[in-house]
Amino acid sequence: MCGICGIVSTGAPPDLDLLRRMMGRLGHRGPDGNGYYRDRRAALGHNRLAIIDTAGGAQPLCNEDETLWVTFNGEIFNYVELRDELRGHGHRFRTASDTEVIVHAWEQWGEGCFSRFNGQWALALWDSREERLVLSRDRLGVRPLYYRRTPGGLAFASEVKALFADPTAQRALDPTGLDETLTYWSTVAPRTVFRGIEQLEPGHVAVLDRDGLRTSAYWSISFPERGREPVQDARANAEALRERLVEATRLRFLRSDVPVGAYLSGGLDSSITAAVISQYTDAPLHTFSLRFSEDELDEGRFQKEMAARLGTEHEDVVVSPADIAEVFPEVVRHTETPVLRAAPAPLFLLSRLVRDNGYKVVVTGEGADEVLAGYDIFREARVRMFWARDPESAKRSRAAELLYPWMARSPGRMPAFARTFFGRNLDLADPALSHRPRWDSTSTVKGILSADLRAEIERGDPPDVAASLPAGSEDWDPLSRAQWLEMKTLLAGYILSSQGDRMLMANSVEGRFPFLDRDVVDLANTLPARHKLFGMEEKYVLKQAFGDLVPPDILRRPKQPYRAPDAASFFTPGRPDWVDELTSRRAIEAAGVFEPALVAGLMAKGDRTRGENMSNTDNMRVLAVVSTQLVHDSFVDDHHDWAAAERALPPPEVAVDLVTHDRSTR
Amino acid sequence: MSGDLEPGLVAQVLREAEELRDPGADPDLEAVKTAILLEDALGIVLTDDDITADVLGDPDSVADLVERRGHA
């Protein structure tokens, strides 16, 4: 895993000093080395986290005649098979890296190469003969890729902070991006929360040449028509899923030249991936877990049970609310976007634990809940569909009591509230019936926005991701539509980003996700909906497939989503000074995002209650205020000392400058 | 899904539904849970009179109900 960046210019040659500053800001993504290439039109930068071919895989890397260069972040897990195939076409390889496969695959298949890749990537290819830049991002958005259109071309980078190394870049929050974030928990690609900064959509390729910039999809999320799924037998599908998931896990464990560890959350998904991995190693597997000082959130019992069963060398970190507040500014400098939960912070501390134990790769169970319908929102949708068939039925309304059994204030204990909350907008014709309660409740956060910002938002169109559901989706199972919405919004924009890549790469750790393997996703998307969510039983086929590898109490326990202390983290005794400084009336007025009096009232309420038992809306509001103020402070006001990171960039391993005719490789 | 149900699918769903039954749970809520499963997996629609512990708490009566609704 690495950091990439680059500049394409139609005027003067790209500024090498700027490129080096951009690389400096991405140092955490690749502390093992760095390199650059520049000609009169383009410059590519690379920060390397060396995992495959640690001796020979330095980047940027080129083809035989040095006319095609690549800078690459990620892994192509089927690179061994692709390399054999490309050798059959006459290609010659100088390294054992997956990076070189990309160069030859592009030469052989052009844009068609991306459909052949099974992996997680963000990359840029520069064809100096054609003066053409190609950007590509993996299918579901595991790896990030941002870009900024400049007057003379384009700049791109793994993280927004690198694009802001250019002092001419506009620094402002985008009202529509904030509107989306305060609806869906994240923006929807290509939008970001920054004006003038875009992100390449997952599953897309962008081409910049003399005809300008254009993007197109090489893959899209799709499902068969309900009832026309190719295999209806649950046992056969369970066997097929097991075969593909075992292979996906094997690839992610074995295709590495450095040791690979695993996360154990205490839930089903990571228990399965860790159990599968343990079959491929004679040495004890190293597993890592996150625990909480609050009993309600802690899953330590299940983690220890699974670790003992597998005989792993197990490490955990226990996180308290005060720990979250302490690291939150650094966390938000990595999320680069407001977040409505504090959940990324503990994951930052977990990846630090991994790094401190000498590991830089972990396999995790991420993605299973989206791909195999594990989230409560899918159960919620099932209840709402059931109820919507007769909204007046008292019996059907009781279905809401089946939701969120793990919550202290669960619908089963508060049925009247549950019926009010989940019974709104029961419209069977609504393609977003599944997500409406979440989006509506999140949108209440906007009530504390400043009058100016609210007016600006209201001048635009309201967010409507459901309108972009593909043609034919009306014939999908409703669960499939809900999965599509979840993958388009929360998975790419938050789970894989703010909780995923950013928290891992902040500590130079690569995450590998077998459940997001190309072949696993392709199979999962063709399963009958009932094999994923059977009535109210989530991940049914997964449990059928791996029931022998997981202890019964982990297999049968109700799905408990990963949760962390939220607002309470910022109202602990002796909280860090930055909380008061950034939420002061002066700071709120200066940023202009929130209404100062309403923020003052919210923070006073938090002080009175120490943030305990705040409503879901107030919880989200506290997180929105704190994280947005941090984003504004670091990125818009530029108060962070980014130059320190820029100065820390070591000398390059690859330095090819065709403008000055300097060249060195180490 | 409408008209006659495919017998293999019905048998499979009923068998799997039976395996998921929680004998310790509130019988009325278990009936609701079973109703959700049957409506979603088999595409039938039940009435309020069907959604009772008496009807949906017994495998044979569930099979009879599905037979009736499946031909509706």
Side-chain angles (χ1 to χ4, degrees):
Chain A
M1 202 54 56
C2 307
I4 65 172
C5 60
I7 305 164
V8 175
S9 169
T10 53
D15 181 346
L16 192 56
D17 288 338
L18 171 58
L19 184 80
R20 296 284 292 164
R21 289 201 305 277
M22 293 169 76
M23 292 164 63
R25 293 186 179 205
L26 298 174
H28 55 282
R29 297 187 70 91
D32 297 335
N34 68 85
Y36 63 83
Y37 161 88
R38 180 172 77 146
D39 63 26
R40 302 197 70 79
R41 288 283 172 262
L44 306 180
H46 188 261
N47 302 78
R48 186 173 191 214
L49 186 65
I51 291 170
I52 293 177
D53 190 9
T54 54
Q59 298 184 47
L61 188 150
C62 61
N63 63 352
E64 293 96 327
D65 65 4
E66 300 191 5
T67 57
L68 182 65
W69 289 80
V70 66
T71 183
F72 163 52
N73 164 210
E75 309 292 347
I76 308 299
F77 293 116
N78 61 339
Y79 75 102
V80 175
E81 293 77 13
L82 289 170
R83 189 171 59 202
D84 290 345
E85 188 177 354
L86 287 161
R87 279 188 177 129
H89 288 292
H91 294 267
R92 287 169 304 173
F93 288 81
R94 298 190 305 268
T95 74
S97 71
D98 53 342
T99 309
E100 195 176 358
V101 167
I102 295 167
V103 173
H104 294 287
W106 174 262
E107 291 179 318
Q108 184 66 35
W109 298 302
E111 286 187 30
C113 71
F114 302 120
S115 302
R116 294 170 179 262
F117 292 170
N118 185 1
Q120 47 190 43
W121 70 86
L123 63 86
L125 285 154
W126 171 247
D127 183 333
S128 61
R129 280 180 306 196
E130 299 293 328
E131 295 190 349
R132 179 172 55 205
L133 178 77
V134 177
L135 304 175
S136 172
R137 196 174 174 201
D138 62 70
R139 291 171 178 80
L140 289 165
V142 176
R143 297 299 156 224
L145 187 49
Y146 297 90
Y147 58 91
R148 183 173 78 88
R149 300 169 202 246
T150 62
L154 181 133
F156 66 87
S158 298
E159 298 185 17
V160 174
K161 56 180 66 68
L163 298 177
F164 283 148
D166 184 344
T168 69
Q170 183 186 17
R171 294 168 172 278
L173 295 176
D174 177 47
T176 307
L178 285 173
D179 192 12
E180 287 186 354
T181 302
L182 301 182
T183 304
Y184 305 131
W185 287 33
S186 77
T187 61
V188 181
R191 190 175 295 281
T192 74
V193 292
F194 298 105
R195 272 199 174 117
I197 306 289
E198 299 167 68
Q199 58 176 316
L200 185 62
E201 290 181 63
H204 276 62
V205 57
V207 176
L208 175 69
D209 57 19
R210 296 179 187 91
D211 297 325
L213 179 68
R214 55 197 178 280
T215 62
S216 58
Y218 67 85
W219 184 85
S220 57
I221 305 163
S222 189
F223 299 88
E225 187 179 325
R226 178 181 160 100
R228 301 183 75 100
E229 299 87 357
V231 179
Q232 296 290 329
D233 181 65
R235 193 164 298 147
N237 278 330
E239 286 172 9
L241 178 65
R242 180 163 177 144
E243 186 179 316
R244 291 194 186 200
L245 193 59
V246 166
E247 175 62 7
T249 308
R250 186 186 72 83
L251 284 177
R252 281 155 182 78
F253 183 66
L254 295 181
R255 295 224 163 140
S256 169
D257 294 331
V258 298
V260 176
Y263 277 0
L264 262 186
S265 71
L268 178 65
D269 314 326
S270 60
S271 294
I272 288 172
T273 49
V276 172
I277 285 175
S278 67
Q279 297 177 337
Y280 288 105
T281 174
D282 293 330
L285 174 66
H286 212 131
T287 50
F288 303 93
S289 291
L290 184 58
R291 300 192 57 194
F292 290 103
S293 52
E294 288 92 339
D295 288 343
E296 189 196 349
L297 305 174
D298 188 47
E299 298 185 70
R301 179 173 82 77
F302 298 105
Q303 295 160 358
K304 285 184 176 160
E305 182 178 353
M306 196 65 205
R309 180 182 173 117
L310 298 178
T312 69
E313 288 185 12
H314 191 64
E315 302 278 344
D316 61 33
V317 57
V318 182
V319 176
S320 70
D323 297 330
I324 290 174
E326 184 184 334
V327 298
F328 208 66
E330 190 174 357
V331 164
V332 173
R333 276 196 294 278
H334 286 287
T335 66
E336 301 185 316
T337 187
V339 289
L340 302 181
R341 289 282 186 265
L347 291 165
F348 171 84
L349 294 168
L350 178 59
S351 69
R352 179 189 285 175
L353 175 75
V354 172
R355 184 196 60 188
D356 290 348
N357 275 274
Y359 279 76
K360 52 184 178 181
V361 184
V362 285
V363 173
T364 88
E366 207 63 82
D369 288 318
E370 293 82 358
V371 169
L372 293 168
Y375 281 135
D376 284 299
I377 198 167
F378 301 124
R379 289 161 46 88
E380 202 178 295
R382 183 82 28 109
V383 162
R384 282 167 53 77
M385 291 284 295
F386 174 75
W387 190 357
R389 292 187 195 109
D390 183 1
E392 304 306 316
S393 164
K395 286 186 175 172
R396 285 176 185 267
S397 74
R398 287 206 66 192
E401 297 173 43
L402 296 167
L403 296 169
Y404 302 94
W406 44 268
M407 284 177 75
R409 291 182 286 175
S410 70
R413 296 189 184 95
M414 305 174 71
F417 170 77
R419 279 192 284 276
T420 304
F421 185 83
F422 296 112
R424 287 179 298 189
N425 305 321
L426 288 175
D427 177 6
L428 280 169
D430 180 2
L433 178 73
S434 55
H435 283 65
R436 208 59 75 183
R438 179 202 283 171
W439 294 346
D440 287 349
S441 67
T442 304
S443 292
T444 59
V445 174
K446 296 175 210 171
I448 60 168
L449 291 177
S450 68
D452 288 348
L453 182 57
R454 267 188 290 169
E456 199 166 347
I457 286 173
E458 283 162 12
R459 280 195 290 275
D461 294 327
D464 190 10
V465 68
S468 54
L469 272 158
S473 60
E474 61 276 9
D475 296 324
W476 297 351
D477 189 279
L479 177 67
S480 303
R481 287 197 294 273
Q483 287 185 273
W484 188 95
L485 291 169
E486 192 71 358
M487 291 181 191
K488 278 285 180 182
T489 55
L490 206 72
L491 177 63
Y494 177 76
I495 297 289
L496 294 178
S497 180
S498 294
Q499 285 194 182
D501 173 270
R502 301 320 184 78
M503 293 307 105
L504 287 154
M505 294 309 296
N507 288 307
S508 313
V509 175
E510 171 178 296
R512 295 182 170 188
F513 315 125
F515 284 98
L516 296 180
D517 176 271
R518 176 192 64 185
D519 299 335
V520 171
V521 172
D522 282 350
L523 172 70
N525 286 3
T526 64
L527 296 176
R530 70 176 187 283
H531 290 178
K532 290 181 266 193
L533 183 58
F534 186 60
M536 294 293 281
E537 182 80 3
E538 75 276 2
K539 289 188 283 202
Y540 178 74
V541 72
L542 184 67
K543 292 173 181 172
Q544 299 295 310
F546 289 98
D548 60 321
L549 292 187
V550 180
D553 53 346
I554 291 180
L555 189 71
R556 296 195 190 119
R557 65 187 286 229
K559 162 72 184 173
Q560 179 168 329
Y562 162 62
R563 293 180 304 149
D566 284 318
S569 305
F570 306 103
F571 298 103
T572 54
R575 66 186 174 202
D577 291 342
W578 67 263
V579 178
D580 294 308
E581 289 164 10
L582 286 181
T583 58
S584 68
R585 184 174 189 92
R586 179 193 53 75
I588 296 292
E589 280 178 350
V593 176
F594 299 101
E595 195 63 44
L598 296 176
V599 171
L602 178 69
M603 298 304 285
K605 188 194 286 187
D607 280 332
R608 280 197 306 276
T609 63
R610 290 197 169 182
E612 300 290 348
N613 298 319
M614 294 183 90
S615 69
N616 184 43
T617 298
D618 282 346
N619 242 314
M620 287 192 288
R621 284 179 168 174
V622 169
L623 264 297
V625 169
V626 168
S627 62
T628 304
Q629 289 295 106
L630 285 167
V631 167
H632 198 279
D633 185 64
S634 288
F635 296 99
V636 178
D637 288 341
D638 202 21
H639 284 158
H640 182 67
D641 180 15
W642 298 108
E646 295 170 7
R647 287 191 299 270
L649 187 69
E653 291 177 298
V654 176
V656 177
D657 189 349
L658 302 185
V659 177
T660 61
H661 305 291
D662 288 336
R663 169 188 290 264
S664 68
T665 52
R666 289 194 287 129
Chain B
M1 218 181 289
S2 61
D4 288 356
L5 294 169
E6 200 270 302
L9 174 64
V10 172
Q12 183 181 339
V13 167
L14 293 181
R15 187 179 64 248
E16 290 165 349
E18 190 54 30
E19 288 171 8
L20 293 176
R21 198 179 294 276
D22 179 359
D26 174 342
D28 291 334
L29 269 182
E30 275 296 292
V32 171
K33 197 192 285 185
T34 303
I36 292 172
L37 190 156
L38 296 176
E39 289 196 356
D40 183 73
L42 301 177
I44 60 177
V45 178
L46 306 183
T47 67
D48 270 13
D49 290 341
D50 298 328
I51 307 172
T52 67
D54 286 345
V55 176
L56 297 179
D58 173 66
D60 293 335
S61 68
V62 171
D64 289 344
L65 174 66
V66 170
E67 171 77 12
R68 290 197 307 276
R69 294 286 175 250
H71 291 294

